[in-house]
Amino acid sequence: MARKPILAANWKMHKTHADALQFAQKLHYSLDRDECERADVVICGPFTSLRTLQTVIQSDKMPFELGAQNVYWEDKGAFTGEISAPMLSALDVEYVLVGHSERREIFGETDEWVRRKLDAVLAGGMTPILCVGETEAEREAGDKDAKVSRQIAAGTDGLAGDQVAGLVVAYEPIWAIGTGRTATPEDAQEMCGLIRQLLRESFGDAADGTRIQYGGSVKPGNTATLMAGADVDGCLVGGASLDPEDFAAIVRNAL
Ligand code: PGA
């Protein structure tokens, strides 16, 4: 089944709203419309940049989609500092990262929290990008498949087939994030293939629709080989997405 490539920039805690505006304009100059139409090009900015990005994407008809990096599962209430799915969808956010390893490891997000967030994103009519991946110690102990299987089960149990088909999953080995140590294309394919197989066991052919990204030190120079894996449908890009020319090269090299 032909799946549309999805390249997502995860800026993490970088860029003011003014930086975000400049980035969008530079990225727009750097990519042809045709290149953007062959992929989904998603910008996951910090909350403070989303309104600015929404405005420039719409006013200049930029072929980019807006993503957020986090969400809280309640729609509203006394949750100081949190942002809800209806707040994001009101800004035309289309994708939301859930369960990024930095949220899990630094902020203590559990599988249960990740699942509540995923459900809130779906209820808000947006697409979750469910992030999974093992630590270096887990890989060395031979536990990588068990860890990722547990995260996939917790994130997807009980979903409907069409929800699974519309889902994006990002396989991000924690040892490769921000370290310059990219997984080999074989490692990336092995784990993305495992994720699709797990989804197929639970949801049948719906698994053919799910787009699976690799993330972890993706750069313009390694994008094409990583994307060569049959089950690798895109990349989630941290550090290299901060530079619009690098991110444009990643989009181009993914096609
Ligand atoms: P990196 O981050 O590209 O800087 O390794 C990827 C991510 O955390 O999504």
Side-chain angles (χ1 to χ4, degrees), residues 1-203:
M1 170 189 253
R3 290 177 291 268
K4 194 174 188 189
I6 176 165
L7 291 311
N10 172 17
W11 289 347
K12 311 189 178 185
M13 197 173 72
H14 293 283
K15 297 193 188 294
T16 65
H17 73 287
D19 300 332
L21 176 62
Q22 269 194 355
F23 175 100
Q25 287 166 335
K26 285 190 185 156
L27 185 66
H28 195 206
Y29 284 128
S30 306
L31 285 170
D32 295 342
R33 183 157 289 272
D34 167 62
E35 287 166 335
C36 295
E37 277 166 6
R38 287 160 58 203
D40 284 329
V41 179
V42 183
I43 304 174
C44 301
F47 290 137
T48 50
S49 68
L50 296 180
R51 174 68 174 149
T52 302
L53 286 167
Q54 177 205 25
T55 305
V56 73
I57 286 171
Q58 284 177 1
S59 64
D60 292 4
K61 300 191 171 42
M62 293 181 179
F64 309 142
E65 286 156 296
L66 196 52
Q69 299 174 18
N70 190 21
V71 67
Y72 190 63
W73 57 78
E74 297 288 350
D75 281 356
K76 59 185 172 191
F79 304 104
T80 301
E82 294 298 318
I83 302 282
S84 71
M87 293 172 181
L88 296 176
S89 60
L91 291 172
D92 299 318
V93 166
E94 294 187 50
Y95 293 89
V96 185
L97 301 180
V98 293
H100 189 280
S101 61
E102 286 151 15
R103 305 270 350 143
R104 295 181 191 256
E105 304 272 315
I106 304 172
F107 299 100
E109 287 194 9
T110 63
D111 280 339
E112 193 210 329
W113 287 27
V114 171
R115 179 51 191 269
R116 288 197 193 189
K117 291 181 177 205
L118 185 138
D119 287 340
V121 172
L122 289 172
M126 299 174 288
T127 300
I129 300 180
L130 170 65
C131 304
V132 299
E134 81 286 359
T135 64
E136 181 157 38
E138 288 162 340
R139 175 166 279 256
E140 280 172 2
D143 291 340
K144 65 179 174 26
D145 292 9
K147 167 82 173 290
V148 168
S149 303
R150 190 199 80 215
Q151 289 178 322
I152 291 290
T156 61
D157 271 353
L159 290 181
D162 60 331
Q163 291 174 318
V164 171
L167 193 67
V168 180
V169 177
Y171 167 64
E172 296 204 304
I174 295 172
W175 46 271
I177 295 179
T179 59
R181 277 181 61 200
T182 317
T184 65
E186 293 74 27
D187 286 337
Q189 167 54 30
E190 182 197 346
M191 295 306 288
C192 292
L194 169 72
I195 291 167
R196 195 173 315 281
Q197 181 199 319
L198 292 166
L199 294 175
R200 192 180 307 287
E201 282 162 15
S202 302
F203 303 100

